[in-house]
Amino acid sequence: MLMWNPWHGCHKISAGCRHCYVYREDAAFGTSTPTNEVRKTSSFNLPMRRDRKKNWKFPAGTEFALCFTSDLLIEEADEWREEIWDMIRQRTDCRFFFFTKRIDRLAQCLPSDWGDGYDHVGIGCTVENQERADYRMPIFLSLPIKHRMVIVAPMLEKVDLREYLIPSLIEEVSVGGESGKYARPLDFRWVLDMQAQCRESGIPFNFHQTGSYLIKDGRQYHIPREHQHSQAKKAGLNTK
């Protein structure tokens, strides 16, 4: 999956944002612009680029993951978003995916021809705790979207999604811990519980990242950043 960040920068809106990796990486690598100032990037038109022979630089079948250093639905990008929808509209030969903590803004940010959703666009709703799940999930399920995922990350507590796990509406639930020096720990029991909820509902489950600190069998383990994805996969919890 190819990362496409047409803009960079974000502002924090909920508990899951406390140790945002975008802020952390900007601080580590240095930037002359504050992280909470949203600005266009040089990758703004990435899917539309062509090679010297005028062929698409990124061919049919390419999967684009949008706005991993911001949020597609952030207010500061309202004036640019229609251009993004237009590029997505032109590249129906590719697939596009984004996840958001601002699902309550989606209805006002959709293009006029969205209808029941674009076949080649998937949307993930992030819920980091029960309070955010109970606020965001009813909104998420009420919207016209062809491909839905739920992202429980960073998972900050045990979360009950049973009333929202409707197989005809949700294609996958993905769980992950928080990374970074000051990350809040992920209790493995929460992950097992979420997998059980998905199994009961018949929805695919993905444990995509342990986070920096994982509690298992009463012990807390520090997982180096480079092993957080592989260690999650080794848990053997993922289902298709």
Side-chain angles (χ1 to χ4, degrees):
M1 188 171 284
L2 183 68
M3 299 295 181
W4 176 26
N5 293 307
W7 44 79
H8 181 93
C10 201
H11 60 263
K12 301 178 182 183
I13 61 169
S14 64
C17 302
R18 182 187 298 172
H19 303 306
C20 176
Y21 66 90
V22 179
Y23 280 72
R24 187 172 69 246
E25 291 184 0
D26 277 0
F29 295 104
T31 174
S32 59
T33 307
T35 301
N36 61 2
E37 183 175 320
V38 181
R39 62 275 194 191
K40 277 187 177 183
T41 72
S42 59
S43 299
F44 187 81
N45 67 343
L46 191 68
M48 307 307 295
R49 293 180 181 174
R50 295 181 182 270
D51 61 23
R52 293 180 179 179
K53 295 182 179 180
K54 304 301 181 183
N55 297 315
W56 293 121
K57 184 173 182 181
F58 302 102
T62 299
E63 296 183 339
F64 292 93
L66 281 91
C67 291
F68 273 64
T69 63
S70 186
D71 190 316
L72 185 68
L73 306 182
I74 198 166
E75 299 90 330
E76 290 90 334
D78 284 352
E79 64 180 300
W80 310 320
R81 195 175 301 103
E82 187 53 45
E83 294 178 71
I84 301 303
W85 289 127
D86 186 54
M87 287 184 264
I88 291 173
R89 192 181 295 116
Q90 292 183 59
R91 294 302 310 269
T92 56
D93 58 333
C94 297
R95 292 186 63 83
F96 298 84
F97 170 76
F98 68 91
F99 63 81
T100 180
K101 288 184 175 70
R102 294 170 170 81
I103 198 65
D104 52 359
R105 298 201 76 239
L106 182 64
Q108 69 191 80
C109 295
L110 290 173
S112 58
D113 65 345
W114 180 258
D116 293 330
Y118 290 168
D119 288 331
H120 63 306
V121 175
I123 299 176
C125 179
T126 298
V127 295
E128 63 266 41
N129 56 27
Q130 193 66 50
E131 186 270 335
R132 286 294 86 188
D134 291 336
Y135 173 70
R136 293 174 184 154
M137 287 302 298
I139 298 171
F140 188 42
L141 296 179
S142 72
L143 295 166
I145 301 169
K146 289 288 183 67
H147 305 286
R148 287 182 180 84
M149 284 181 60
V150 180
I151 317 296
V152 189
M155 193 178 201
L156 302 179
E157 64 182 18
K158 183 178 178 180
V159 178
D160 188 345
L161 293 179
R162 286 178 178 84
E163 66 177 294
Y164 311 119
L165 295 181
I166 304 171
S168 61
L169 295 180
I170 296 174
E171 296 181 359
E172 181 180 289
V173 174
S174 187
V175 168
E178 188 170 46
S179 61
K181 181 179 179 180
Y182 302 105
R184 289 157 287 185
L186 174 68
D187 193 316
F188 192 59
R189 292 174 299 178
W190 305 341
V191 181
L192 293 175
D193 180 72
M194 185 58 66
Q195 189 217 33
Q197 293 180 46
C198 291
R199 186 171 60 248
E200 293 166 9
S201 305
I203 292 174
F205 174 84
N206 178 35
F207 181 27
H208 69 263
Q209 178 178 308
T210 63
S212 295
Y213 303 104
L214 180 71
I215 298 173
K216 185 177 181 182
D217 299 327
R219 293 182 59 190
Q220 179 168 291
Y221 298 88
H222 174 245
I223 315 295
R225 185 70 184 92
E226 62 270 23
H227 299 312
Q228 291 173 24
H229 293 281
S230 61
Q231 287 298 313
K233 186 175 182 179
K234 285 181 180 179
L237 302 180
N238 297 350
T239 59
K240 293 184 179 180

